Each structure stands twice: as C-alpha cells, then as structure tokens.
Amino acid sequence: MTRARAASERFIAGLPPEVLEQLTPVFSPLIEICPLDVVLDLSTVRGLVFTSANAVAIAGDLIQTRDLACYCVGAATTDAARDAGWPTTQSGDTAQQLISTLTREKPDAPLLHLRGVHARGEIAKNLSRAGTSCDEQAIYDQSLQPLTDAAVQVLAGSDPVVAPLFSPRTARQFAETARIRAPLWLTALSPAVAEPLETLTFQNLLIADRPDSAAMRKIVELSVKRVNRVEGRTDAH
C-alpha cells in the first residue's frame, strides 16, 4: 500500500473478508503529507473547493468556522468535509466533472480551492475562465518517500505482489525506485496513474473504471483472484 498510512488502512479495511484472508498488507507510503505554515484570508470567499481528504483535514485546523459551502471531488473527500462540519456537495468524481458542474450551477463566488503543492487539473484557472471566480491556495506539501525496507523485501522476493497506485506522482515514484523480481500485479486509479507504470515488468495492469476507492477495491479483488488462478497460490502481498 503506497498511500499515507491512515488512507491505506481504510482501503484495506474495506476489502471483503475473503480477500483479506488471502493478503498480507505491506505499508509503504510514497508521499508524506506536510502542512504548510499559511494564513488564509477568507474575507471575500463564498465557498471552498476540496479535491482531497488531506486538504479537508488540514483546512479543518486552519479554519475555525464551518459556514462556507464546500464543493468536493469524490465520495471520500465529500464525506471528510461533511464529517468535519461543512455544508458539503459532491460536485463530481474528477476535477473536470467538478469544473463542469460548478460552471453549470454557478454557485456564489468567489471560491477558494485549498489543495496540495502538487495538483492537477488547474481547477481555479479553468473555473475562472468559465465565469466562476476561483482562487487557489496550497496548504500542504506532498514529500516523496522511498520504499520501506519491508516493501523492498517483498518486491525482491518470489511471492506475488498486488500493488494499488492512486496518483500519477506516486506511480512515477514507484516505477522509478522499485527493484522488482516478484510477480507484480498492478492496479491504477486512472489511465494517468497507469502511464508511468507501463515501463515496469508486470503480470497484469488493471485500471479502475471510476477514480474512487470502491472501483479500486474491485480491481484489487480481481487481481487477487487472477493471482490465485495463474500462480496457484492462496496468499499474496
């Protein structure tokens, strides 16, 4: 598992019990979430845009009130914002869907996109171009991390490894740093996540049909079934 530890544990916990019985989780976060020392000016802001649960968690420490409407990408981010007490709407599963939704619905503006230093989609710029004023503010950095010793060990072994990748940046880090001898079964959140992985030697690469954790769990489950069929094993990493 290459996401931050808490997110990885939530993902693992959501797998069916019969799948969990066949896996030995190995946690190796490839990015570390580092909050930035920023002060937010919300005096003119009418709504917030969130594209990650990490941004929601950090914004929760920076913003004391919960009166601003929030527009979110994905169910996990939406749930995190709602649980944190903000009036929240899921405005799409991708950045492009959020841009299309807000352009059509024209919420009160200006909006503020709170994000990480490394972000895709140019949400603020594209929303503003389409007529919904939006600014952006990075509130955390995503520092790349090496593979853990445990991950290096299983990738160098002979047991099959199922590796879910959730972002293009972590996929690139994995592709550039992993030394792989084990049979590798890759799952990717999107075609953009899959692209850096195509340089690797692997048994199979599956891409989720939607960019969310539920779709990723389905292809992880499918990968485990294929491992059992092809490798003749009852367990994997």
Side-chain angles (χ1 to χ4, degrees):
M1 292 302 302
T2 57
R3 304 177 90 182
R5 182 65 183 247
S8 291
E9 289 179 345
R10 288 194 299 270
F11 183 85
I12 290 291
L15 290 169
E18 63 272 17
V19 175
L20 282 174
E21 291 174 357
Q22 301 173 69
L23 295 173
T24 302
V26 176
F27 297 98
S28 182
L30 292 181
I31 61 169
E32 180 180 3
I33 303 302
C34 305
L36 298 177
D37 185 12
V38 297
V39 176
L40 299 178
D41 180 4
L42 304 177
S43 58
T44 63
V45 174
R46 304 298 298 274
L48 301 174
V49 174
F50 288 121
T51 50
S52 77
N54 291 321
V56 172
I58 293 166
D61 292 331
L62 293 172
I63 303 171
Q64 301 306 311
T65 62
R66 294 293 186 268
D67 54 345
L68 290 172
C70 293
Y71 307 96
C72 299
V73 170
T77 304
T78 304
D79 290 344
R82 186 175 293 117
D83 291 345
W86 273 294
T88 304
T89 301
Q90 181 173 341
S91 299
D93 291 322
T94 66
Q96 187 55 53
Q97 288 178 6
L98 177 137
I99 292 166
S100 297
T101 298
L102 296 186
T103 299
R104 182 179 64 253
E105 295 181 352
K106 301 186 184 308
D108 288 343
L111 305 178
L112 178 63
H113 179 201
L114 298 176
R115 59 174 182 81
V117 170
H118 303 276
R120 295 167 59 88
E122 296 188 319
I123 286 174
K125 182 184 294 185
N126 286 316
L127 276 173
S128 295
R129 284 175 176 171
T132 298
S133 177
C134 185
D135 202 351
E136 61 184 352
Q137 174 69 60
I139 58 174
Y140 65 94
D141 198 0
Q142 306 105 306
S143 174
L144 289 173
Q145 302 296 304
L147 289 162
T148 62
D149 291 343
V152 170
Q153 183 176 351
V154 298
L155 288 168
S158 58
D159 289 336
V161 175
V162 177
L165 281 305
F166 291 83
S167 76
R169 194 159 176 259
T170 52
R172 189 172 300 107
Q173 174 75 343
F174 183 83
E176 291 177 352
T177 61
R179 301 293 177 262
I180 299 162
R181 297 177 63 185
L184 183 62
W185 301 75
L186 294 165
T187 64
L189 186 69
S190 70
V193 176
E195 185 176 354
L197 304 173
E198 293 173 355
T199 61
L200 297 173
T201 299
F202 51 82
Q203 302 297 309
N204 199 25
L205 169 58
L206 297 178
I207 302 173
D209 58 11
R210 300 184 318 278
D212 60 37
S213 292
M216 280 290 282
R217 289 190 183 98
K218 288 182 180 179
I219 58 174
V220 166
E221 182 176 0
L222 180 57
S223 292
V224 171
K225 290 179 179 177
R226 291 183 176 179
V227 167
N228 291 339
R229 185 168 66 248
V230 173
E231 304 283 343
R233 295 176 180 268
T234 59
D235 65 324
H237 296 288

